[in-house]
PDB file of all heavy atoms in Angstrom:
ATOM      1  N   ILE A   1     218.783  51.914 107.779  1.00  0.00           N
ATOM      2  CA  ILE A   1     217.720  52.183 106.994  1.00  0.00           C
ATOM      3  C   ILE A   1     217.737  53.699 106.590  1.00  0.00           C
ATOM      4  O   ILE A   1     217.694  54.501 107.576  1.00  0.00           O
ATOM      5  CB  ILE A   1     216.386  51.822 107.748  1.00  0.00           C
ATOM      6  CG1 ILE A   1     216.271  50.409 107.945  1.00  0.00           C
ATOM      7  CG2 ILE A   1     215.096  52.265 106.817  1.00  0.00           C
ATOM      8  CD1 ILE A   1     215.111  49.963 108.841  1.00  0.00           C
ATOM      9  N   GLY A   2     217.869  54.042 105.346  1.00  0.00           N
ATOM     10  CA  GLY A   2     218.241  55.373 104.966  1.00  0.00           C
ATOM     11  C   GLY A   2     219.626  55.658 105.437  1.00  0.00           C
ATOM     12  O   GLY A   2     220.590  54.877 105.247  1.00  0.00           O
ATOM     13  N   ASP A   3     219.712  56.762 106.102  1.00  0.00           N
ATOM     14  CA  ASP A   3     221.064  57.137 106.720  1.00  0.00           C
ATOM     15  C   ASP A   3     221.194  56.907 108.093  1.00  0.00           C
ATOM     16  O   ASP A   3     222.188  57.271 108.756  1.00  0.00           O
ATOM     17  CB  ASP A   3     221.320  58.715 106.357  1.00  0.00           C
ATOM     18  CG  ASP A   3     221.389  59.050 104.945  1.00  0.00           C
ATOM     19  OD1 ASP A   3     221.961  58.151 104.264  1.00  0.00           O
ATOM     20  OD2 ASP A   3     220.920  60.213 104.542  1.00  0.00           O
ATOM     21  N   ARG A   4     220.186  56.213 108.686  1.00  0.00           N
ATOM     22  CA  ARG A   4     220.160  56.039 110.114  1.00  0.00           C
ATOM     23  C   ARG A   4     220.626  54.484 110.495  1.00  0.00           C
ATOM     24  O   ARG A   4     220.129  53.584 109.938  1.00  0.00           O
ATOM     25  CB  ARG A   4     218.710  56.190 110.737  1.00  0.00           C
ATOM     26  CG  ARG A   4     218.588  55.888 112.203  1.00  0.00           C
ATOM     27  CD  ARG A   4     217.150  56.394 112.698  1.00  0.00           C
ATOM     28  NE  ARG A   4     216.156  55.634 112.150  1.00  0.00           N
ATOM     29  CZ  ARG A   4     215.026  55.256 112.993  1.00  0.00           C
ATOM     30  NH1 ARG A   4     214.916  55.840 114.186  1.00  0.00           N
ATOM     31  NH2 ARG A   4     214.100  54.447 112.369  1.00  0.00           N
ATOM     32  N   VAL A   5     221.532  54.377 111.355  1.00  0.00           N
ATOM     33  CA  VAL A   5     221.946  52.987 111.962  1.00  0.00           C
ATOM     34  C   VAL A   5     220.884  52.660 112.888  1.00  0.00           C
ATOM     35  O   VAL A   5     220.528  53.348 113.832  1.00  0.00           O
ATOM     36  CB  VAL A   5     223.371  53.225 112.505  1.00  0.00           C
ATOM     37  CG1 VAL A   5     223.775  51.816 113.219  1.00  0.00           C
ATOM     38  CG2 VAL A   5     224.421  53.728 111.616  1.00  0.00           C
ATOM     39  N   VAL A   6     220.362  51.392 112.682  1.00  0.00           N
ATOM     40  CA  VAL A   6     219.174  50.950 113.521  1.00  0.00           C
ATOM     41  C   VAL A   6     219.554  49.896 114.370  1.00  0.00           C
ATOM     42  O   VAL A   6     218.607  49.208 114.879  1.00  0.00           O
ATOM     43  CB  VAL A   6     217.970  50.578 112.548  1.00  0.00           C
ATOM     44  CG1 VAL A   6     217.505  51.915 111.769  1.00  0.00           C
ATOM     45  CG2 VAL A   6     218.378  49.467 111.533  1.00  0.00           C
ATOM     46  N   ASN A   7     220.863  49.456 114.538  1.00  0.00           N
ATOM     47  CA  ASN A   7     221.403  48.425 115.422  1.00  0.00           C
ATOM     48  C   ASN A   7     220.632  48.427 116.656  1.00  0.00           C
ATOM     49  O   ASN A   7     220.172  47.408 117.260  1.00  0.00           O
ATOM     50  CB  ASN A   7     222.740  48.405 115.567  1.00  0.00           C
ATOM     51  CG  ASN A   7     223.549  48.119 114.372  1.00  0.00           C
ATOM     52  OD1 ASN A   7     223.137  48.455 113.221  1.00  0.00           O
ATOM     53  ND2 ASN A   7     224.717  47.427 114.526  1.00  0.00           N
ATOM     54  N   ASP A   8     220.437  49.658 117.352  1.00  0.00           N
ATOM     55  CA  ASP A   8     219.847  49.687 118.696  1.00  0.00           C
ATOM     56  C   ASP A   8     218.475  50.287 118.680  1.00  0.00           C
ATOM     57  O   ASP A   8     217.987  50.728 119.817  1.00  0.00           O
ATOM     58  CB  ASP A   8     220.789  50.613 119.666  1.00  0.00           C
ATOM     59  CG  ASP A   8     222.221  50.010 119.782  1.00  0.00           C
ATOM     60  OD1 ASP A   8     222.331  48.716 119.915  1.00  0.00           O
ATOM     61  OD2 ASP A   8     223.200  50.674 119.713  1.00  0.00           O
ATOM     62  N   VAL A   9     217.891  50.383 117.556  1.00  0.00           N
ATOM     63  CA  VAL A   9     216.518  50.886 117.440  1.00  0.00           C
ATOM     64  C   VAL A   9     215.581  49.753 117.583  1.00  0.00           C
ATOM     65  O   VAL A   9     215.627  48.686 116.893  1.00  0.00           O
ATOM     66  CB  VAL A   9     216.316  51.634 116.008  1.00  0.00           C
ATOM     67  CG1 VAL A   9     214.962  52.072 115.966  1.00  0.00           C
ATOM     68  CG2 VAL A   9     217.271  52.757 115.953  1.00  0.00           C
ATOM     69  N   ALA A  10     214.500  50.011 118.328  1.00  0.00           N
ATOM     70  CA  ALA A  10     213.495  48.912 118.627  1.00  0.00           C
ATOM     71  C   ALA A  10     212.724  48.653 117.229  1.00  0.00           C
ATOM     72  O   ALA A  10     212.651  49.499 116.420  1.00  0.00           O
ATOM     73  CB  ALA A  10     212.485  49.362 119.633  1.00  0.00           C
ATOM     74  N   PRO A  11     212.301  47.293 117.126  1.00  0.00           N
ATOM     75  CA  PRO A  11     211.511  47.068 115.855  1.00  0.00           C
ATOM     76  C   PRO A  11     210.450  47.960 115.443  1.00  0.00           C
ATOM     77  O   PRO A  11     210.157  48.384 114.347  1.00  0.00           O
ATOM     78  CB  PRO A  11     211.087  45.540 116.039  1.00  0.00           C
ATOM     79  CG  PRO A  11     212.044  45.031 116.992  1.00  0.00           C
ATOM     80  CD  PRO A  11     212.448  46.261 117.881  1.00  0.00           C
ATOM     81  N   LYS A  12     209.592  48.470 116.493  1.00  0.00           N
ATOM     82  CA  LYS A  12     208.508  49.331 116.298  1.00  0.00           C
ATOM     83  C   LYS A  12     208.854  50.681 115.749  1.00  0.00           C
ATOM     84  O   LYS A  12     207.937  51.350 115.178  1.00  0.00           O
ATOM     85  CB  LYS A  12     207.641  49.408 117.464  1.00  0.00           C
ATOM     86  CG  LYS A  12     208.265  50.140 118.663  1.00  0.00           C
ATOM     87  CD  LYS A  12     207.416  50.114 119.852  1.00  0.00           C
ATOM     88  CE  LYS A  12     208.116  50.836 121.068  1.00  0.00           C
ATOM     89  NZ  LYS A  12     208.299  52.180 120.795  1.00  0.00           N
ATOM     90  N   ASP A  13     210.097  50.933 116.001  1.00  0.00           N
ATOM     91  CA  ASP A  13     210.554  52.413 115.610  1.00  0.00           C
ATOM     92  C   ASP A  13     211.330  52.400 114.329  1.00  0.00           C
ATOM     93  O   ASP A  13     211.978  53.364 113.979  1.00  0.00           O
ATOM     94  CB  ASP A  13     211.371  53.056 116.813  1.00  0.00           C
ATOM     95  CG  ASP A  13     210.618  53.162 118.116  1.00  0.00           C
ATOM     96  OD1 ASP A  13     209.385  53.516 117.885  1.00  0.00           O
ATOM     97  OD2 ASP A  13     211.022  52.918 119.122  1.00  0.00           O
ATOM     98  N   ARG A  14     211.467  51.222 113.652  1.00  0.00           N
ATOM     99  CA  ARG A  14     212.311  51.184 112.430  1.00  0.00           C
ATOM    100  C   ARG A  14     211.516  51.498 111.135  1.00  0.00           C
ATOM    101  O   ARG A  14     212.120  51.582 110.105  1.00  0.00           O
ATOM    102  CB  ARG A  14     212.804  49.763 112.326  1.00  0.00           C
ATOM    103  CG  ARG A  14     213.850  49.442 113.339  1.00  0.00           C
ATOM    104  CD  ARG A  14     214.630  48.108 113.050  1.00  0.00           C
ATOM    105  NE  ARG A  14     215.635  47.895 114.224  1.00  0.00           N
ATOM    106  CZ  ARG A  14     216.606  47.076 114.058  1.00  0.00           C
ATOM    107  NH1 ARG A  14     216.971  46.449 112.883  1.00  0.00           N
ATOM    108  NH2 ARG A  14     217.406  46.954 115.101  1.00  0.00           N
ATOM    109  N   ASP A  15     210.246  51.785 111.200  1.00  0.00           N
ATOM    110  CA  ASP A  15     209.371  52.108 110.123  1.00  0.00           C
ATOM    111  C   ASP A  15     209.483  51.068 109.117  1.00  0.00           C
ATOM    112  O   ASP A  15     209.621  51.356 107.908  1.00  0.00           O
ATOM    113  CB  ASP A  15     209.698  53.450 109.591  1.00  0.00           C
ATOM    114  CG  ASP A  15     208.595  54.009 108.805  1.00  0.00           C
ATOM    115  OD1 ASP A  15     207.511  53.473 108.825  1.00  0.00           O
ATOM    116  OD2 ASP A  15     208.785  55.226 108.286  1.00  0.00           O
ATOM    117  N   ILE A  16     209.271  49.761 109.530  1.00  0.00           N
ATOM    118  CA  ILE A  16     209.221  48.646 108.527  1.00  0.00           C
ATOM    119  C   ILE A  16     207.890  47.895 108.908  1.00  0.00           C
ATOM    120  O   ILE A  16     207.272  47.953 109.830  1.00  0.00           O
ATOM    121  CB  ILE A  16     210.479  47.826 108.662  1.00  0.00           C
ATOM    122  CG1 ILE A  16     210.691  47.214 110.128  1.00  0.00           C
ATOM    123  CG2 ILE A  16     211.649  48.349 108.269  1.00  0.00           C
ATOM    124  CD1 ILE A  16     210.017  45.898 110.524  1.00  0.00           C
ATOM    125  N   ALA A  17     207.564  47.035 107.913  1.00  0.00           N
ATOM    126  CA  ALA A  17     206.455  46.228 108.053  1.00  0.00           C
ATOM    127  C   ALA A  17     206.781  44.788 107.610  1.00  0.00           C
ATOM    128  O   ALA A  17     207.332  44.603 106.554  1.00  0.00           O
ATOM    129  CB  ALA A  17     205.157  46.698 107.298  1.00  0.00           C
ATOM    130  N   MET A  18     206.529  43.769 108.263  1.00  0.00           N
ATOM    131  CA  MET A  18     206.909  42.352 107.971  1.00  0.00           C
ATOM    132  C   MET A  18     205.823  41.412 107.718  1.00  0.00           C
ATOM    133  O   MET A  18     204.764  41.434 108.398  1.00  0.00           O
ATOM    134  CB  MET A  18     207.858  41.826 109.119  1.00  0.00           C
ATOM    135  CG  MET A  18     208.594  40.563 108.703  1.00  0.00           C
ATOM    136  SD  MET A  18     209.947  40.258 109.945  1.00  0.00           S
ATOM    137  CE  MET A  18     210.573  38.763 109.313  1.00  0.00           C
ATOM    138  N   VAL A  19     205.901  40.673 106.672  1.00  0.00           N
ATOM    139  CA  VAL A  19     204.902  39.651 106.351  1.00  0.00           C
ATOM    140  C   VAL A  19     205.493  38.275 106.643  1.00  0.00           C
ATOM    141  O   VAL A  19     206.603  38.034 106.031  1.00  0.00           O
ATOM    142  CB  VAL A  19     204.401  39.759 104.885  1.00  0.00           C
ATOM    143  CG1 VAL A  19     203.426  38.700 104.538  1.00  0.00           C
ATOM    144  CG2 VAL A  19     203.767  41.205 104.579  1.00  0.00           C
ATOM    145  N   PHE A  20     204.867  37.495 107.551  1.00  0.00           N
ATOM    146  CA  PHE A  20     205.530  36.220 107.857  1.00  0.00           C
ATOM    147  C   PHE A  20     205.039  34.989 107.126  1.00  0.00           C
ATOM    148  O   PHE A  20     203.976  35.092 106.598  1.00  0.00           O
ATOM    149  CB  PHE A  20     205.214  36.004 109.397  1.00  0.00           C
ATOM    150  CG  PHE A  20     205.810  36.973 110.380  1.00  0.00           C
ATOM    151  CD1 PHE A  20     205.088  38.010 110.795  1.00  0.00           C
ATOM    152  CD2 PHE A  20     207.104  36.830 110.862  1.00  0.00           C
ATOM    153  CE1 PHE A  20     205.762  39.008 111.646  1.00  0.00           C
ATOM    154  CE2 PHE A  20     207.629  37.617 111.672  1.00  0.00           C
ATOM    155  CZ  PHE A  20     206.979  38.886 112.133  1.00  0.00           C
ATOM    156  N   GLN A  21     205.785  34.081 107.120  1.00  0.00           N
ATOM    157  CA  GLN A  21     205.511  32.788 106.489  1.00  0.00           C
ATOM    158  C   GLN A  21     204.175  32.243 106.964  1.00  0.00           C
ATOM    159  O   GLN A  21     203.385  31.719 106.164  1.00  0.00           O
ATOM    160  CB  GLN A  21     206.662  31.817 106.487  1.00  0.00           C
ATOM    161  CG  GLN A  21     206.367  30.444 105.961  1.00  0.00           C
ATOM    162  CD  GLN A  21     207.584  29.541 106.198  1.00  0.00           C
ATOM    163  OE1 GLN A  21     208.696  29.898 106.609  1.00  0.00           O
ATOM    164  NE2 GLN A  21     207.411  28.265 105.816  1.00  0.00           N
ATOM    165  N   SER A  22     203.908  32.361 108.125  1.00  0.00           N
ATOM    166  CA  SER A  22     202.683  31.799 108.832  1.00  0.00           C
ATOM    167  C   SER A  22     201.522  32.744 108.831  1.00  0.00           C
ATOM    168  O   SER A  22     200.469  32.393 109.430  1.00  0.00           O
ATOM    169  CB  SER A  22     203.056  31.297 110.303  1.00  0.00           C
ATOM    170  OG  SER A  22     203.459  32.485 110.998  1.00  0.00           O
ATOM    171  N   TYR A  23     201.645  33.935 108.250  1.00  0.00           N
ATOM    172  CA  TYR A  23     200.664  34.976 108.152  1.00  0.00           C
ATOM    173  C   TYR A  23     200.442  35.727 109.501  1.00  0.00           C
ATOM    174  O   TYR A  23     200.243  36.857 109.560  1.00  0.00           O
ATOM    175  CB  TYR A  23     199.338  34.441 107.646  1.00  0.00           C
ATOM    176  CG  TYR A  23     199.348  33.576 106.530  1.00  0.00           C
ATOM    177  CD1 TYR A  23     198.477  32.321 106.299  1.00  0.00           C
ATOM    178  CD2 TYR A  23     200.211  33.742 105.435  1.00  0.00           C
ATOM    179  CE1 TYR A  23     198.562  31.650 105.262  1.00  0.00           C
ATOM    180  CE2 TYR A  23     200.270  32.958 104.366  1.00  0.00           C
ATOM    181  CZ  TYR A  23     199.368  31.871 104.231  1.00  0.00           C
ATOM    182  OH  TYR A  23     199.490  30.988 103.192  1.00  0.00           O
ATOM    183  N   ALA A  24     200.483  34.874 110.695  1.00  0.00           N
ATOM    184  CA  ALA A  24     200.498  35.497 111.990  1.00  0.00           C
ATOM    185  C   ALA A  24     199.232  36.461 112.126  1.00  0.00           C
ATOM    186  O   ALA A  24     199.351  37.509 112.646  1.00  0.00           O
ATOM    187  CB  ALA A  24     201.698  36.381 112.350  1.00  0.00           C
ATOM    188  N   LEU A  25     198.089  35.947 111.722  1.00  0.00           N
ATOM    189  CA  LEU A  25     196.800  36.665 111.888  1.00  0.00           C
ATOM    190  C   LEU A  25     196.121  36.217 113.173  1.00  0.00           C
ATOM    191  O   LEU A  25     196.274  35.062 113.703  1.00  0.00           O
ATOM    192  CB  LEU A  25     195.867  36.301 110.687  1.00  0.00           C
ATOM    193  CG  LEU A  25     196.208  36.585 109.336  1.00  0.00           C
ATOM    194  CD1 LEU A  25     195.261  36.165 108.361  1.00  0.00           C
ATOM    195  CD2 LEU A  25     196.599  38.001 109.054  1.00  0.00           C
ATOM    196  N   TYR A  26     195.488  37.252 113.827  1.00  0.00           N
ATOM    197  CA  TYR A  26     194.782  36.941 115.135  1.00  0.00           C
ATOM    198  C   TYR A  26     193.493  36.187 114.836  1.00  0.00           C
ATOM    199  O   TYR A  26     192.573  36.832 114.194  1.00  0.00           O
ATOM    200  CB  TYR A  26     194.549  38.250 115.855  1.00  0.00           C
ATOM    201  CG  TYR A  26     195.708  38.998 116.356  1.00  0.00           C
ATOM    202  CD1 TYR A  26     196.267  40.119 115.678  1.00  0.00           C
ATOM    203  CD2 TYR A  26     196.512  38.409 117.319  1.00  0.00           C
ATOM    204  CE1 TYR A  26     197.403  40.712 116.076  1.00  0.00           C
ATOM    205  CE2 TYR A  26     197.714  39.095 117.745  1.00  0.00           C
ATOM    206  CZ  TYR A  26     198.121  40.139 117.065  1.00  0.00           C
ATOM    207  OH  TYR A  26     199.315  40.899 117.441  1.00  0.00           O
ATOM    208  N   PRO A  27     193.293  34.944 115.226  1.00  0.00           N
ATOM    209  CA  PRO A  27     192.205  34.185 114.805  1.00  0.00           C
ATOM    210  C   PRO A  27     190.823  34.787 115.381  1.00  0.00           C
ATOM    211  O   PRO A  27     189.780  34.397 114.732  1.00  0.00           O
ATOM    212  CB  PRO A  27     192.464  32.787 115.413  1.00  0.00           C
ATOM    213  CG  PRO A  27     193.492  32.921 116.541  1.00  0.00           C
ATOM    214  CD  PRO A  27     194.218  34.235 116.077  1.00  0.00           C
ATOM    215  N   HIS A  28     190.877  35.485 116.458  1.00  0.00           N
ATOM    216  CA  HIS A  28     189.577  35.941 117.008  1.00  0.00           C
ATOM    217  C   HIS A  28     189.164  37.325 116.510  1.00  0.00           C
ATOM    218  O   HIS A  28     188.023  37.735 116.885  1.00  0.00           O
ATOM    219  CB  HIS A  28     189.740  35.984 118.654  1.00  0.00           C
ATOM    220  CG  HIS A  28     190.866  36.952 118.979  1.00  0.00           C
ATOM    221  ND1 HIS A  28     192.119  36.807 118.852  1.00  0.00           N
ATOM    222  CD2 HIS A  28     190.751  38.233 119.586  1.00  0.00           C
ATOM    223  CE1 HIS A  28     192.847  37.833 119.317  1.00  0.00           C
ATOM    224  NE2 HIS A  28     191.887  38.740 119.737  1.00  0.00           N
ATOM    225  N   MET A  29     190.026  37.772 115.579  1.00  0.00           N
ATOM    226  CA  MET A  29     189.705  39.114 115.064  1.00  0.00           C
ATOM    227  C   MET A  29     189.174  39.062 113.678  1.00  0.00           C
ATOM    228  O   MET A  29     189.661  38.162 112.883  1.00  0.00           O
ATOM    229  CB  MET A  29     190.857  40.115 115.078  1.00  0.00           C
ATOM    230  CG  MET A  29     191.434  40.520 116.412  1.00  0.00           C
ATOM    231  SD  MET A  29     192.872  41.665 116.176  1.00  0.00           S
ATOM    232  CE  MET A  29     193.295  41.887 117.953  1.00  0.00           C
ATOM    233  N   SER A  30     188.349  39.922 113.253  1.00  0.00           N
ATOM    234  CA  SER A  30     187.959  40.052 111.884  1.00  0.00           C
ATOM    235  C   SER A  30     189.111  40.546 111.021  1.00  0.00           C
ATOM    236  O   SER A  30     190.256  40.951 111.554  1.00  0.00           O
ATOM    237  CB  SER A  30     186.856  41.079 111.632  1.00  0.00           C
ATOM    238  OG  SER A  30     187.348  42.281 111.932  1.00  0.00           O
ATOM    239  N   VAL A  31     188.944  40.288 109.629  1.00  0.00           N
ATOM    240  CA  VAL A  31     189.971  40.835 108.701  1.00  0.00           C
ATOM    241  C   VAL A  31     190.213  42.326 108.928  1.00  0.00           C
ATOM    242  O   VAL A  31     191.426  42.726 109.001  1.00  0.00           O
ATOM    243  CB  VAL A  31     189.528  40.702 107.230  1.00  0.00           C
ATOM    244  CG1 VAL A  31     190.340  41.310 106.311  1.00  0.00           C
ATOM    245  CG2 VAL A  31     189.484  39.102 106.959  1.00  0.00           C
ATOM    246  N   PHE A  32     189.049  43.076 109.075  1.00  0.00           N
ATOM    247  CA  PHE A  32     189.332  44.486 109.269  1.00  0.00           C
ATOM    248  C   PHE A  32     190.140  44.793 110.564  1.00  0.00           C
ATOM    249  O   PHE A  32     191.183  45.559 110.500  1.00  0.00           O
ATOM    250  CB  PHE A  32     188.001  45.193 109.496  1.00  0.00           C
ATOM    251  CG  PHE A  32     187.988  46.760 109.681  1.00  0.00           C
ATOM    252  CD1 PHE A  32     187.843  47.617 108.580  1.00  0.00           C
ATOM    253  CD2 PHE A  32     188.321  47.230 110.918  1.00  0.00           C
ATOM    254  CE1 PHE A  32     188.090  48.954 108.734  1.00  0.00           C
ATOM    255  CE2 PHE A  32     188.464  48.586 111.081  1.00  0.00           C
ATOM    256  CZ  PHE A  32     188.235  49.572 110.023  1.00  0.00           C
ATOM    257  N   ASP A  33     189.843  44.064 111.678  1.00  0.00           N
ATOM    258  CA  ASP A  33     190.506  44.372 112.938  1.00  0.00           C
ATOM    259  C   ASP A  33     192.033  43.852 112.918  1.00  0.00           C
ATOM    260  O   ASP A  33     192.914  44.413 113.480  1.00  0.00           O
ATOM    261  CB  ASP A  33     189.928  43.594 114.106  1.00  0.00           C
ATOM    262  CG  ASP A  33     188.515  44.368 114.492  1.00  0.00           C
ATOM    263  OD1 ASP A  33     188.393  45.568 114.095  1.00  0.00           O
ATOM    264  OD2 ASP A  33     187.604  43.600 115.058  1.00  0.00           O
ATOM    265  N   ASN A  34     192.316  42.781 112.156  1.00  0.00           N
ATOM    266  CA  ASN A  34     193.647  42.339 111.912  1.00  0.00           C
ATOM    267  C   ASN A  34     194.427  43.389 111.157  1.00  0.00           C
ATOM    268  O   ASN A  34     195.580  43.689 111.530  1.00  0.00           O
ATOM    269  CB  ASN A  34     193.624  41.070 111.062  1.00  0.00           C
ATOM    270  CG  ASN A  34     193.676  39.762 111.953  1.00  0.00           C
ATOM    271  OD1 ASN A  34     194.786  39.531 112.504  1.00  0.00           O
ATOM    272  ND2 ASN A  34     192.577  39.131 112.187  1.00  0.00           N
TER     273      ASN A  34
END
């Protein structure tokens, strides 16, 4: 990603955001909290 090899970088540290097929929303949270 850019000039950085991310093979061993944790997902949270890759500066990416993923939208899943199932949406993966927390059912007990409001839209704002999600």
Side-chain angles (χ1 to χ4, degrees):
I1 298 176
D3 296 326
R4 180 172 69 146
V5 178
V6 296
N7 289 35
D8 299 320
V9 177
K12 66 182 180 67
D13 298 323
R14 296 193 181 197
D15 203 3
I16 54 96
M18 191 161 182
V19 178
F20 294 92
Q21 179 179 350
S22 61
Y23 315 140
L25 301 178
Y26 296 105
H28 63 289
M29 292 184 182
S30 67
V31 168
F32 182 96
D33 290 334
N34 264 284

